[in-house]
Amino acid sequence: MERKLIVTEDGSNSIFVPELNEHYHSTHGAVQESMHVFIEAGLKPMLQKKQKINILEVGLGTGLNAALSFLETELKKVQINYIGIEAYPLSLSEGSQLNFHEIIGGDKMRECIMKIHSSNRKYPFYLGENFILNYLEAKLEDIQFPNDSFDLVYFDAFSPGVQPELWTKEVFQKLYNAMRFEGWLLTYSSKGEVRRTMEECGFEVDKLPGVGGKREMSRAFKKIADFHHHEH
Ligand SMILES: C[S@@+](CC[C@H](N)C(=O)[O-])C[C@H]1O[C@@H](n2cnc3c(N)ncnc32)[C@H](O)[C@@H]1O
């Protein structure tokens, strides 16, 4: 699959896939979108609740979400275990052209991105003292997860229009089962059909304000019911 490096409106790079006519991020700003959807709506509120956080990313791609998650948690007393699944990994040469460090994080960002794309994807490695990254080359459809494992799922697949097979009940049910109670799955998509599919799997789905040309995004919660026993 051919891939082209592009520059989005906040100055940060993204990648365009001509074959799918699809970008890896919003063309209004890659860093802006990742910060909004995954860090602000997911990681930051989770940091208020827990100190040991397991994150699953579907579609690790450029590594931007993993690197931003590292920058956000590096100086905090937390332990992050991050699994990033990617079916079509970037080469080291593609990774080294990314300019995220010019927009946010400077040398630390650069170092993260280089570490990620130098990985042989065989063993987990430390992005920092408190942050283990397990970069897996695989298709989401082919992986089985243990139950009750993830506090956050960054669902960053290509859009439902170009990749409908990743937005199915089967896939969301697998992710629901793999998540811990009171965990969140985040996605930039707010399509009604996507939300309904997630609700069928047991999620409680909130619409949050979107970013970069999207009015809304979705945050799906693996809820524990408030159970009230009524005596009659
Ligand atoms: C919208 S891009 C987002 C990439 C990434 N999160 C980033 O910030 O750069 C979707 C990513 O999902 C990957 N992908 C496509 N099909 C996949 C599959 N079946 N399983 C896992 N990843 C897949 C693509 O190669 C691409 O890197």
Side-chain angles (χ1 to χ4, degrees):
M1 218 184 322
E2 194 199 347
R3 289 189 284 238
K4 285 188 175 151
L5 194 71
I6 60 128
V7 181
T8 65
E9 283 167 26
D10 70 2
S12 58
N13 285 136
S14 185
I15 288 173
F16 177 64
V17 185
E19 203 177 307
L20 304 174
N21 189 28
E22 178 90 343
H23 291 90
Y24 275 32
H25 305 94
S26 160
T27 54
H28 294 280
V31 165
Q32 174 188 255
E33 180 183 49
S34 288
M35 281 300 295
H36 181 89
V37 176
F38 303 108
I39 307 301
E40 297 292 341
L43 181 57
K44 278 194 181 176
M46 189 55 70
L47 284 166
Q48 304 292 318
K49 303 203 290 179
K50 299 193 83 170
Q51 293 191 312
K52 207 172 169 294
I53 299 175
N54 292 344
I55 303 174
L56 172 70
E57 175 169 22
V58 176
L60 182 123
T62 59
L64 177 59
N65 295 329
L68 289 174
S69 298
F70 170 70
L71 292 178
E72 190 59 42
T73 53
E74 191 200 3
L75 301 175
K76 299 199 165 74
K77 281 207 172 64
V78 291
Q79 173 64 46
I80 311 293
N81 281 313
Y82 194 110
I83 299 184
I85 299 173
E86 175 53 62
Y88 312 103
L90 262 59
S91 66
L92 176 56
S93 124
E94 287 174 299
S96 56
Q97 292 172 49
L98 297 166
N99 74 350
F100 302 139
H101 59 285
E102 292 170 13
I103 312 302
I104 190 169
D107 290 347
K108 272 181 190 158
M109 171 58 91
R110 176 89 184 141
E111 209 179 293
C112 272
I113 293 294
M114 292 309 287
K115 265 194 196 172
I116 290 170
H117 297 292
S118 315
S119 157
N120 63 9
R121 300 184 287 276
K122 265 197 171 151
Y123 304 106
F125 54 96
Y126 285 98
L127 265 192
E129 256 175 56
N130 63 344
F131 197 115
I132 296 175
L133 177 60
N134 194 351
Y135 178 6
L136 293 180
E137 179 171 356
K139 290 189 170 177
L140 175 64
E141 305 91 299
D142 298 338
I143 300 191
Q144 296 303 320
F145 300 106
N147 285 344
D148 302 311
S149 301
F150 302 108
D151 303 292
L152 290 172
V153 174
Y154 298 169
F155 193 78
D156 206 10
F158 290 130
S159 62
V162 306
Q163 201 173 34
E165 70 276 13
L166 280 196
W167 301 79
T168 60
K169 171 134 198 256
E170 196 186 355
V171 166
F172 285 121
Q173 192 68 64
K174 178 159 102 171
L175 294 172
Y176 178 90
N177 294 342
M179 283 170 64
R180 291 181 171 157
F181 287 104
E182 313 223 296
W184 284 303
L185 179 152
L186 296 312
T187 166
Y188 59 82
S189 174
S190 67
K191 270 185 109 175
E193 200 186 323
V194 168
R195 283 206 311 272
R196 281 189 293 279
T197 306
M198 294 191 294
E199 281 165 358
E200 281 173 30
C201 298
F203 285 112
E204 183 181 80
V205 187
D206 279 332
K207 290 189 220 174
L208 303 180
V211 75
K214 291 197 189 73
R215 206 158 50 85
E216 288 169 331
M217 58 165 282
S218 309
R219 182 166 69 183
F221 186 54
K222 181 165 175 174
K223 183 185 163 109
I224 303 179
D226 303 316
F227 183 78
H228 300 290
H229 181 75
H230 295 286
E231 304 254 345
H232 292 287

